[in-house]
Amino acid sequence: MVIFQPSGRRGYVSRGKTIKEASRDLGVDLEGLCGEKATCGKCRVRIEEGVFNKYGIESKMANLTPISEAERKFFNLQQERNGYRLACQARIQGDILVFVPEESRMGKQIVRKAPTDRAIDLKPAVKKYFVELPPATLEEPLGDWERLQSALSEQYGVGNLGIDYQVLFALQGVVRGGDWKVTVSVWMDKEVIKVESGFVEKGYGLAVDIGTTTVAGYLCDLTNGEIVATASMMNPQVVYGEDVMSRISYSMSNKDGLEQMNRAIIDGLNGLISEVALQAGIRGQDILDMTIVANTCMHHIFLNLDPQYIGKAPFTPGIHHSLDIKVRDIGFKVPPEVEMGFDEETAIKEAKRCLNCGVYAQAEGTEGLETRGFGLRISPGAYVHVLPIEAGFVGADNVAVLIAEEPEKQDSMELVVDIGTNGELVLGNRKKLVSSSCATGPAFEGAQIRYGMRAAPGAIEKIEIDPDTRDVRYQVIGRVGWNVDLEAVGAKGICGSGIIDAIAQMFKAGIIQPSGRFNTDLETPRLRKAESGREFVIAWAKETSIGQDIVVCQEDVRAVQLAKGAMYAGARLMMRRLGAEKLDKVILAGAFGSFIDKKSAAVIGLFPDCALENITAVGNAAGDGARIALLNVDKRKQADEIARQVEYIELTLEKDFIKHFTHAMHFPHMKDAFPQLKGILPEQTSG
Amino acid sequence: MVIFQPSGRRGYVSRGKTIKEASRDLGVDLEGLCGEKATCGKCRVRIEEGVFNKYGIESKMANLTPISEAERKFFNLQQERNGYRLACQARIQGDILVFVPEESRMGKQIVRKAPTDRAIDLKPAVKKYFVELPPATLEEPLGDWERLQSALSEQYGVGNLGIDYQVLFALQGVVRGGDWKVTVSVWMDKEVIKVESGFVEKGYGLAVDIGTTTVAGYLCDLTNGEIVATASMMNPQVVYGEDVMSRISYSMSNKDGLEQMNRAIIDGLNGLISEVALQAGIRGQDILDMTIVANTCMHHIFLNLDPQYIGKAPFTPGIHHSLDIKVRDIGFKVPPEVEMGFDEETAIKEAKRCLNCGVYAQAEGTEGLETRGFGLRISPGAYVHVLPIEAGFVGADNVAVLIAEEPEKQDSMELVVDIGTNGELVLGNRKKLVSSSCATGPAFEGAQIRYGMRAAPGAIEKIEIDPDTRDVRYQVIGRVGWNVDLEAVGAKGICGSGIIDAIAQMFKAGIIQPSGRFNTDLETPRLRKAESGREFVIAWAKETSIGQDIVVCQEDVRAVQLAKGAMYAGARLMMRRLGAEKLDKVILAGAFGSFIDKKSAAVIGLFPDCALENITAVGNAAGDGARIALLNVDKRKQADEIARQVEYIELTLEKDFIKHFTHAMHFPHMKDAFPQLKGILPEQTSG
């Protein structure tokens, strides 16, 4: 028996499983950023005294494999004596009671992928036709399908159609149930994917953006293009690794790794379908179309394609082009029969009842619904359209940004920056477009930062440091106002935008030097020397919910320098390739791009010089692109074309890459950068 | 607990199930021809004394529902006292011990669907290409699928291809596993359905003929057209009803009836796939294509289409055209991954081991293999091509006969007769073709005949009656020679060809009159008056294995008259429609047509007058047609065209149908019929 505290979840797991594996089995969300390699130290747990220790021995570790050297690095002797372990390393040998400290609990992230208001021409892939058939007679006993074909051809001029096999099952009953009047949904003028009795006006489509961390879905009315419901969730794959590389590594080091992650995202999307359908008050089977955008790794895992080859040179993907796949082929749950009106009604009713009585919320949203068999199911004949990818590290999400922003139609030199867990860059105008990706590492997402965390309640997201007193004030997600005005702050860590702020403010306040090193001459209790090196205190222990000072350490600064250096050098090399002297416009796509402080980004030098007023955040442009492709099939064609037009630059192969990269790591990266910021920056020592 | 004797099969079943249902659950094969309607009386069982009777009461029926009036009709008082019941009616209320008498046990039918030697032009739907790809490099990191597409286009000029989603899964591994050399299987010049590492020469296809009673499969080498294995089995749906109408009725009166029957045939075909693959010594996944022919009802059940509408006016089918469906969509078992070399090797090894040690045979052939998880699986990307149907009662099997026989290319007036459980007729020449079907009833298959049975061991299949002494000699399936020369005969019943012989011989010997009535003036102990009317003894009890005299009764004669009357009248009305005076040629298709005595068929008047030498049996032409369509895609097109050209005649709507039908019931039907038989027929009293 394994018991997790404070959640109280418990159950039996096989001997030899790690605590992390047990946590997954028992539904306990543990942090973890390194793909269970004992390198991030985020999954610390404390083994409580052995209430279940069957030996009666006064040792907390009797029922675990011994602590390894790799683990030991993360704990001092006191912590080791107190029973601390890394959940990903300690293997279960018997009954244990595990306490999960607050900092190791995975917060429910605040999903910031709101759709942007955009005008979209309506030309959906699925069209509905209302048809009246001549009833069968003894003189003309033509098959129902042939009867429907000729009616569609006569009444609408739609010919040469196929029919989905599962729709064919139900055809006879549906046609007779509607007294020979039916509504037919036709996909791409090619295939009948649904037939309903009588007249049915509405049909819906779901646009999905699968991010490494967050998945967002937009349910749209295909008859007028309106968004009727929006839902988002954590990518359920995060338990297998925080970033693209750790998921690739998980898939390579675990026999069923790919299958597990594929199942996780498909199951998650099944829940998302239920959620948007419930929100909009429609039946799942009224969803007739779906588009998917994702980075190349998420794209591969979603398609159940082995991502290992995109993780190593020459970074070859399995497929570049867009794909249309039957939802049931890809593993989406579909109703056992096309027409299951009654069952779905029951499901909706039950779901609403649960929502009202709170059971729904308790059962963790739609997951609970799924578990109890009340999930709403997408129309089984529907196709999912997966947008094309550009390269091993420039994915369908980037293509979606391009069809949303259309830099290929502009005269001005535009840089599109999509900062997710990976950095993706597109530069150019109507003459030419180039793209590249940079291994920014997960620093901008709060990972590999000592007190880094995702944008969840308790995360410090905005920071100001007084340049004279070096005193700090900050704001946390979930509370309104500055910390100094709050009674209880409850800070838990620092998220991506907070880190950018912290580094920019520390630089402006002279706490860190242009080289990135701490200025050891400063006198402030916040800058101190700890066992592991110098660190700067952002929040004192009393202001936190974790009982520790939240600090930025030298390694944190270094991680941000690496990340921003890669971004900056990438943009510079792309400009060199296009012969561009300067940027006319910077477009920040992605949720992160919408929340960072533009000035802070400029101060640390995230991208080359550009007038502040020409830097615009466009929100979740990838999600918008998914929606655009959902509502307009011409845009799908455009996506395939642009994905092949954009020339991918493998930055590491570019001449002088290392030199550029090293240069760009400094603050500010260039002597002449950001003239508009002159005066607000301290004296420069290098450039 | 229910125990069946003599098989000894036992198990617990739910209270309220019929003995027939219990027999299905426990794997006991009981006869039954009426779809469990208490009208055929073939499922008689005897309830043995209650060793399990928990009441200790001296009644055999305590644990069954009481006998009904419908059942009682089938038993005399003695039998009722001895514990006889109809298995389809008696419902289980507690423990029982059931004895299944020999005549109620279903014999393993002798499947007589051998392929015929025909010259077929080779133009298969699936073609194989060996391709060498340029390996991916950093400079050219194109996706694997795009890389394969351009190689196929450059090396073979094959372009504009799609790829099966499950093949895409495996592509990256297969390409690298073969060191960038692969063999690609392309379906219909449209879609890549398989990619294998290295050079793979052979590919196979399976042609299947689903009869109401028998299913036959022909495994062909797609590279040279040769048949490499043949297998057949009983249609596993027979437990749900013997003929088309009882299966339709089963699907209507049982909620999951259609699903059960669909599952039964699909599971059966999964076993057939294993069997032919094992026979040929190939892997299941080397089977890359499949064609299906079937009558309209079997076609619908195979496709999971509700057959109820083809069972009642206006007899509208769900679909007429041919269909191409992914094997996995239709429910064929496919390996979990495309490349599972090892697992399939194990399966083959295990299967061979079982075959050698006899376990395989014990486990009832491939079913046993399936149960134990060793079934060989068809290639998951493969399509199954289902041939088109002509009308509600003229199915894809008839279309297959047409592409095999090509009457539309002949000058002579040809009648194609396919006598299966249903009678299907096509008449015409290059000018015009008409088709019709007649409800012959299952008499020709041995059903609805008192001692009728299928063509299984023990069935009387050939009969001769001395016209003077009225003595009888006969041959039974499974023994060589006439009964009179055998020590042990062990006759069990009469099969279809036996019945035709019996009636023809009885007519020629004057035992029955042209009207079909028994000639009561005859003096022979074989012609006697029983409780239920007059009957003629074919085999004495001592010559049988059932301990009863095997007789032909007045109802049997009537059933044959109805069947042959329908066939004859149908042919006549079709001739009238075409203005044809006489037949140039009669083609007997179907297994039954190959085994009946042509002279006997002529004597009873199964079809209008035709010179005996122009009556030819072509064997399982439907199966041959399936094979032709498998090996030549042009023939698939031809099938769709001919299926629409043939004009279907609904006989019951034809003018004077009843008059023709009534006339045709007489022996011989027409005064001037069969001039070549004159002299061997007795004096005629009506015409």
Side-chain angles (χ1 to χ4, degrees):
Chain A
M1 168 76 81
V2 178
I3 301 181
F4 284 94
Q5 294 293 13
S7 68
R9 301 240 179 175
R10 63 191 65 203
Y12 293 94
V13 299
S14 310
R15 210 183 146 91
K17 281 205 174 184
T18 65
I19 295 175
K20 175 92 182 193
E21 288 164 348
S23 75
R24 271 202 293 271
D25 292 352
L26 299 174
V28 175
D29 281 342
L30 275 185
E31 282 283 357
L33 309 174
C34 66
E36 304 173 26
K37 301 227 164 315
T39 54
C40 77
K42 294 287 176 196
C43 64
R44 296 169 194 213
V45 294
R46 200 171 69 232
I47 309 305
E48 298 287 299
E49 255 166 290
V51 284
F52 291 91
N53 184 329
K54 57 186 169 184
Y55 302 106
I57 300 169
E58 179 64 353
S59 159
K60 289 154 187 163
M61 299 301 164
N63 284 338
L64 285 175
T65 47
I67 193 164
S68 66
E69 278 313 305
E71 270 182 273
R72 224 164 230 141
K73 284 191 305 189
F74 292 93
F75 307 110
N76 60 32
L77 201 56
Q78 185 61 37
Q79 288 172 318
E80 200 179 321
R81 280 207 193 113
N82 284 343
Y84 275 93
R85 294 296 298 269
L86 291 188
C88 71
Q89 298 300 309
R91 288 181 186 279
I92 295 163
Q93 305 289 318
D95 298 331
I96 52 164
L97 177 64
V98 182
F99 182 80
V100 184
E102 164 116 22
E103 65 268 27
S104 300
R105 281 172 228 155
M106 197 182 286
K108 176 110 179 128
Q109 184 171 34
I110 301 201
V111 174
R112 317 202 257 193
K113 292 199 169 180
T116 314
D117 205 13
R118 292 172 188 268
I120 303 171
D121 289 336
L122 206 60
K123 193 179 176 185
V126 177
K127 287 180 216 145
K128 296 198 130 187
Y129 300 98
F130 175 69
V131 201
E132 202 168 336
L133 308 181
T137 61
L138 270 173
E139 288 70 29
E140 186 45 281
L142 201 63
D144 286 343
W145 166 230
E146 283 75 17
R147 195 172 295 277
L148 179 60
Q149 276 179 299
S150 54
L152 275 168
S153 166
E154 279 163 25
Q155 293 166 41
Y156 295 97
V158 188
N160 213 2
L161 292 175
I163 184 167
D164 180 73
Y165 173 53
Q166 293 211 1
V167 176
L168 184 62
F169 281 5
L171 184 64
Q172 296 164 293
V174 171
V175 161
R176 285 164 184 79
D179 197 21
W180 303 90
K181 294 179 196 69
V182 292
T183 302
V184 184
S185 298
V186 178
W187 175 80
M188 297 295 276
D189 300 329
K190 278 184 197 158
E191 182 182 318
V192 170
I193 59 157
K194 193 178 179 73
V195 182
E196 296 162 278
S197 296
F199 176 65
V200 182
E201 188 194 352
K202 290 292 187 187
Y204 300 87
L206 181 62
V208 176
D209 170 22
I210 306 177
T212 310
T213 311
T214 315
V215 179
Y218 310 100
L219 184 70
C220 301
D221 182 333
L222 293 178
T223 62
N224 59 22
E226 277 171 20
I227 299 177
V228 293
T230 303
S232 54
M233 61 174 185
M234 291 281 287
N235 186 330
Q237 296 165 6
V238 289
V239 295
Y240 303 105
E242 289 281 313
D243 57 29
V244 165
M245 284 314 293
S246 33
R247 289 197 208 155
I248 292 178
S249 126
Y250 186 84
S251 81
M252 291 171 70
S253 50
N254 291 274
K255 194 175 164 291
D256 299 326
L258 171 59
E259 204 168 293
Q260 284 172 340
M261 292 190 287
N262 173 263
R263 206 54 256 168
I265 183 64
I266 299 291
D267 283 348
L269 290 174
N270 277 319
L272 199 79
I273 289 166
S274 286
E275 196 173 326
V276 291
L278 280 170
Q279 262 189 45
I282 64 165
R283 299 180 308 167
Q285 53 177 287
D286 293 330
I287 304 177
L288 304 173
D289 199 10
M290 196 164 168
T291 51
I292 297 277
V293 306
N295 63 50
T296 305
C297 180
M298 293 307 107
H299 163 277
H300 272 50
I301 298 177
F302 170 78
L303 289 172
N304 209 8
L305 293 180
D306 192 338
Q308 67 163 299
Y309 307 108
I310 53 172
K312 59 188 181 199
F315 314 108
T316 323
I319 183 168
H320 269 113
H321 276 90
S322 63
L323 268 178
D324 292 299
I325 308 167
K326 282 272 171 202
V327 290
R328 57 175 187 264
D329 238 8
I330 212 158
F332 283 111
K333 288 185 189 164
V334 292
E337 287 166 19
V338 175
E339 280 308 310
M340 54 167 299
F342 173 74
D343 285 342
E344 177 134 349
E345 299 303 326
T346 314
I348 294 176
K349 225 169 98 186
E350 187 60 22
K352 284 188 182 151
R353 198 180 63 75
C354 293
L355 279 166
N356 289 339
C357 73
V359 176
Y360 178 72
Q362 267 179 38
E364 293 179 22
T366 47
E367 267 176 60
L369 267 188
E370 285 296 323
T371 314
R372 289 155 64 233
F374 292 125
L376 307 192
R377 308 283 177 238
I378 191 165
S379 186
Y383 281 90
V384 50
H385 179 83
V386 183
L387 272 78
I389 60 167
E390 289 167 44
F393 281 102
V394 189
D397 51 353
N398 198 265
V399 176
V401 170
L402 297 184
I403 61 171
E405 291 299 324
E406 301 189 314
E408 83 278 15
K409 295 186 177 169
Q410 315 301 327
D411 291 314
S412 54
M413 183 57 61
E414 298 190 1
L415 177 69
V416 183
V417 180
D418 194 353
I419 314 172
T421 309
N422 222 45
E424 296 176 358
L425 302 169
V426 177
L427 178 74
N429 51 25
R430 66 170 74 249
K431 285 188 202 140
K432 185 168 185 179
L433 288 175
V434 291
S435 71
S436 71
S437 71
C438 29
T440 49
F444 292 150
E445 302 257 298
Q448 284 182 12
I449 297 293
R450 194 187 292 177
Y451 286 91
M453 68 177 287
R454 293 195 207 86
I460 296 172
E461 61 166 348
K462 192 167 178 57
I463 297 172
E464 283 185 10
I465 302 178
D466 187 300
D468 300 323
T469 64
R470 273 93 189 190
D471 209 10
V472 178
R473 64 175 191 162
Y474 58 86
Q475 293 180 1
V476 298
I477 295 178
R479 311 234 175 220
V480 180
W482 295 99
N483 67 311
V484 290
D485 306 321
L486 294 172
E487 266 182 39
V489 184
K492 204 177 144 187
I494 312 175
C495 70
S497 59
I499 283 287
I500 305 262
D501 264 13
I503 305 293
Q505 292 285 315
M506 284 163 71
F507 178 55
K508 277 168 64 184
I511 298 160
I512 46 177
Q513 299 172 322
S515 68
R517 299 186 67 86
F518 279 111
N519 181 351
T520 50
D521 299 339
L522 283 183
E523 295 241 352
T524 160
R526 286 188 182 263
L527 184 62
R528 67 193 185 192
K529 202 171 171 184
E531 208 179 308
S532 59
R534 280 179 204 277
E535 56 188 32
F536 183 78
V537 179
I538 301 291
W540 298 107
K542 64 179 186 319
E543 302 162 359
T544 73
S545 66
I546 57 172
Q548 302 170 39
D549 296 341
I550 294 176
V551 304
V552 173
C553 64
Q554 189 65 67
E555 283 77 36
D556 295 344
V557 180
R558 192 62 58 190
V560 171
Q561 281 182 285
L562 285 168
K564 74 105 185 174
M567 294 277 288
Y568 184 90
R572 268 283 163 213
L573 291 167
M574 289 164 79
M575 288 169 73
R576 183 176 74 182
R577 181 74 79 100
L578 291 187
E581 287 301 318
K582 64 180 221 8
L583 300 178
D584 297 321
K585 207 172 162 188
V586 173
I587 297 169
L588 297 174
F592 177 69
S594 305
F595 286 87
I596 56 171
D597 185 278
K598 284 194 277 182
K599 215 184 285 173
S600 291
V603 166
I604 69 164
L606 205 53
F607 37 77
D609 190 11
C610 181
L612 270 186
E613 65 272 20
N614 290 335
I615 303 174
T616 49
V618 293
N620 183 13
D624 291 340
R627 203 155 45 85
I628 290 168
L630 177 71
L631 296 173
N632 189 327
V633 287
D634 290 342
K635 288 289 187 169
R636 300 185 186 183
K637 258 187 266 171
Q638 190 187 334
D640 264 320
E641 286 159 12
I642 201 167
R644 296 275 53 81
Q645 276 168 22
V646 177
E647 186 184 330
Y648 178 71
I649 301 180
E650 178 52 46
L651 292 175
T652 51
L653 294 184
E654 290 293 290
K655 188 168 170 285
D656 297 333
F657 169 71
I658 297 293
K659 203 173 110 194
H660 273 83
F661 183 40
T662 319
H663 263 269
M665 280 176 61
H666 287 181
F667 301 110
H669 43 88
M670 286 282 165
K671 282 199 205 81
D672 56 348
F674 300 97
Q676 74 273 31
L677 296 174
K678 261 181 190 153
I680 63 167
L681 294 181
E683 277 308 300
Q684 291 172 27
T685 55
S686 86
Chain B
M1 168 74 81
V2 178
I3 302 181
F4 284 94
Q5 294 293 16
S7 68
R9 302 239 180 177
R10 63 191 65 203
Y12 293 94
V13 299
S14 311
R15 212 180 144 91
K17 280 206 174 181
T18 64
I19 295 175
K20 174 92 181 194
E21 287 163 351
S23 75
R24 271 203 291 271
D25 294 352
L26 299 175
V28 175
D29 282 344
L30 274 186
E31 280 285 353
L33 309 173
C34 67
E36 303 174 26
K37 301 227 165 316
T39 55
C40 77
K42 294 288 176 197
C43 64
R44 298 170 194 209
V45 293
R46 198 171 70 233
I47 310 304
E48 299 287 300
E49 257 164 291
V51 284
F52 291 91
N53 184 329
K54 57 186 170 186
Y55 303 105
I57 300 170
E58 178 64 351
S59 157
K60 288 157 188 162
M61 299 300 163
N63 284 337
L64 285 175
T65 47
I67 194 164
S68 66
E69 278 313 303
E71 268 182 275
R72 224 165 230 141
K73 285 191 306 189
F74 292 94
F75 307 110
N76 59 32
L77 199 57
Q78 184 59 37
Q79 289 172 318
E80 201 180 322
R81 281 206 193 113
N82 284 343
Y84 274 93
R85 294 294 300 267
L86 291 187
C88 70
Q89 298 300 309
R91 289 183 185 278
I92 295 162
Q93 305 289 319
D95 297 330
I96 52 164
L97 178 64
V98 182
F99 181 81
V100 184
E102 162 116 23
E103 64 268 28
S104 299
R105 281 172 227 155
M106 197 182 285
K108 178 112 180 124
Q109 184 171 30
I110 300 203
V111 174
R112 315 203 259 192
K113 292 199 168 181
T116 313
D117 204 13
R118 289 173 189 270
I120 303 172
D121 289 337
L122 207 59
K123 194 178 174 187
V126 177
K127 286 180 217 145
K128 297 198 127 184
Y129 299 98
F130 175 68
V131 200
E132 201 167 339
L133 308 180
T137 60
L138 271 173
E139 288 70 30
E140 187 45 280
L142 199 64
D144 286 342
W145 166 229
E146 283 75 16
R147 196 172 296 277
L148 179 60
Q149 274 179 299
S150 55
L152 274 169
S153 166
E154 280 163 27
Q155 294 166 40
Y156 295 97
V158 187
N160 213 3
L161 292 176
I163 183 167
D164 179 72
Y165 173 52
Q166 293 211 2
V167 175
L168 184 61
F169 282 5
L171 184 64
Q172 296 165 292
V174 171
V175 161
R176 285 165 183 79
D179 197 22
W180 304 91
K181 295 179 195 69
V182 292
T183 303
V184 184
S185 298
V186 178
W187 176 79
M188 296 296 275
D189 300 329
K190 279 185 196 157
E191 183 183 318
V192 170
I193 58 158
K194 192 178 182 74
V195 182
E196 295 161 277
S197 297
F199 174 66
V200 183
E201 188 194 353
K202 288 293 186 186
Y204 300 86
L206 181 62
V208 176
D209 170 21
I210 306 177
T212 310
T213 311
T214 314
V215 179
Y218 310 100
L219 184 70
C220 300
D221 183 332
L222 294 178
T223 61
N224 59 22
E226 276 172 22
I227 299 177
V228 293
T230 302
S232 54
M233 60 175 185
M234 291 282 286
N235 186 330
Q237 297 165 3
V238 289
V239 295
Y240 303 106
E242 288 281 312
D243 57 30
V244 165
M245 285 313 295
S246 32
R247 288 194 209 156
I248 293 178
S249 127
Y250 186 83
S251 82
M252 291 171 71
S253 51
N254 291 274
K255 194 174 164 292
D256 299 326
L258 171 59
E259 205 168 292
Q260 284 173 335
M261 290 190 288
N262 173 261
R263 205 54 257 168
I265 183 64
I266 299 290
D267 284 348
L269 290 176
N270 276 320
L272 199 77
I273 289 166
S274 286
E275 197 175 324
V276 290
L278 280 172
Q279 261 189 44
I282 64 166
R283 300 179 308 167
Q285 53 177 290
D286 294 329
I287 303 177
L288 305 173
D289 199 10
M290 195 163 166
T291 51
I292 298 277
V293 306
N295 64 50
T296 306
C297 180
M298 295 306 106
H299 164 278
H300 272 50
I301 297 177
F302 171 77
L303 289 171
N304 211 6
L305 293 179
D306 192 339
Q308 66 166 298
Y309 307 108
I310 52 171
K312 58 189 181 197
F315 314 109
T316 324
I319 182 168
H320 269 113
H321 276 91
S322 63
L323 267 177
D324 292 299
I325 309 167
K326 282 271 171 200
V327 289
R328 56 176 186 264
D329 238 7
I330 212 159
F332 283 111
K333 287 187 189 159
V334 292
E337 287 165 19
V338 175
E339 279 308 311
M340 55 169 298
F342 173 73
D343 285 341
E344 176 134 350
E345 299 302 325
T346 314
I348 293 176
K349 225 171 99 188
E350 186 60 21
K352 284 189 181 154
R353 199 181 59 77
C354 292
L355 279 167
N356 288 337
C357 73
V359 177
Y360 178 72
Q362 266 179 41
E364 292 178 22
T366 48
E367 269 175 59
L369 266 189
E370 285 296 323
T371 315
R372 289 152 66 229
F374 292 125
L376 307 192
R377 309 284 176 237
I378 191 166
S379 186
Y383 282 89
V384 51
H385 179 82
V386 183
L387 271 79
I389 59 168
E390 288 167 44
F393 281 102
V394 190
D397 49 353
N398 198 264
V399 175
V401 171
L402 296 184
I403 60 170
E405 291 299 322
E406 303 189 313
E408 83 279 14
K409 296 188 176 167
Q410 316 300 326
D411 291 314
S412 53
M413 182 59 62
E414 299 191 359
L415 177 69
V416 183
V417 181
D418 194 351
I419 314 172
T421 310
N422 224 43
E424 297 174 358
L425 302 169
V426 176
L427 178 74
N429 51 27
R430 67 170 74 248
K431 287 189 199 138
K432 185 169 184 180
L433 287 175
V434 291
S435 72
S436 71
S437 72
C438 30
T440 48
F444 291 152
E445 301 258 299
Q448 284 181 13
I449 296 294
R450 194 188 292 174
Y451 287 91
M453 67 177 288
R454 293 194 206 87
I460 296 173
E461 60 165 350
K462 191 166 180 54
I463 297 171
E464 283 184 9
I465 302 178
D466 188 300
D468 300 321
T469 63
R470 273 95 188 185
D471 209 11
V472 178
R473 62 175 193 163
Y474 57 88
Q475 294 181 1
V476 298
I477 296 179
R479 311 228 174 226
V480 180
W482 296 98
N483 66 311
V484 288
D485 306 322
L486 295 171
E487 265 183 39
V489 184
K492 207 177 140 185
I494 312 176
C495 69
S497 58
I499 285 288
I500 306 260
D501 264 13
I503 305 294
Q505 293 284 316
M506 284 162 71
F507 177 56
K508 277 169 63 184
I511 299 161
I512 46 178
Q513 299 173 321
S515 67
R517 299 186 68 84
F518 278 110
N519 181 353
T520 50
D521 300 338
L522 283 184
E523 296 241 350
T524 160
R526 287 189 182 260
L527 184 62
R528 66 194 185 193
K529 202 173 172 182
E531 209 179 307
S532 58
R534 281 180 204 275
E535 57 189 31
F536 183 79
V537 180
I538 301 290
W540 298 106
K542 63 179 188 320
E543 301 161 1
T544 74
S545 66
I546 58 172
Q548 301 168 38
D549 295 341
I550 294 174
V551 304
V552 173
C553 64
Q554 187 69 64
E555 283 76 38
D556 295 344
V557 180
R558 191 62 59 189
V560 171
Q561 281 182 286
L562 284 167
K564 74 106 185 175
M567 293 276 290
Y568 184 91
R572 268 284 164 212
L573 290 166
M574 289 165 77
M575 287 169 74
R576 183 176 75 182
R577 180 75 77 99
L578 292 187
E581 288 300 318
K582 63 180 221 5
L583 300 178
D584 296 322
K585 206 171 163 191
V586 173
I587 297 168
L588 297 174
F592 176 68
S594 305
F595 286 86
I596 55 171
D597 184 279
K598 284 192 278 182
K599 215 184 285 172
S600 291
V603 166
I604 68 163
L606 205 54
F607 37 78
D609 189 13
C610 182
L612 271 187
E613 65 271 21
N614 290 334
I615 303 174
T616 49
V618 293
N620 183 14
D624 291 339
R627 203 153 47 85
I628 290 168
L630 176 71
L631 295 173
N632 189 327
V633 288
D634 291 342
K635 289 288 186 169
R636 301 185 186 184
K637 257 187 264 169
Q638 190 188 334
D640 264 321
E641 286 159 13
I642 200 166
R644 297 274 52 81
Q645 277 169 20
V646 177
E647 187 185 330
Y648 179 71
I649 301 179
E650 177 53 45
L651 292 175
T652 52
L653 296 183
E654 290 293 290
K655 187 166 169 288
D656 298 333
F657 169 71
I658 296 293
K659 204 174 111 194
H660 273 83
F661 183 40
T662 320
H663 262 269
M665 279 176 60
H666 287 181
F667 302 109
H669 43 87
M670 288 280 164
K671 278 198 212 80
D672 56 347
F674 298 97
Q676 74 274 28
L677 296 174
K678 261 180 190 152
I680 63 167
L681 294 181
E683 277 308 298
Q684 291 169 28
T685 56
S686 86

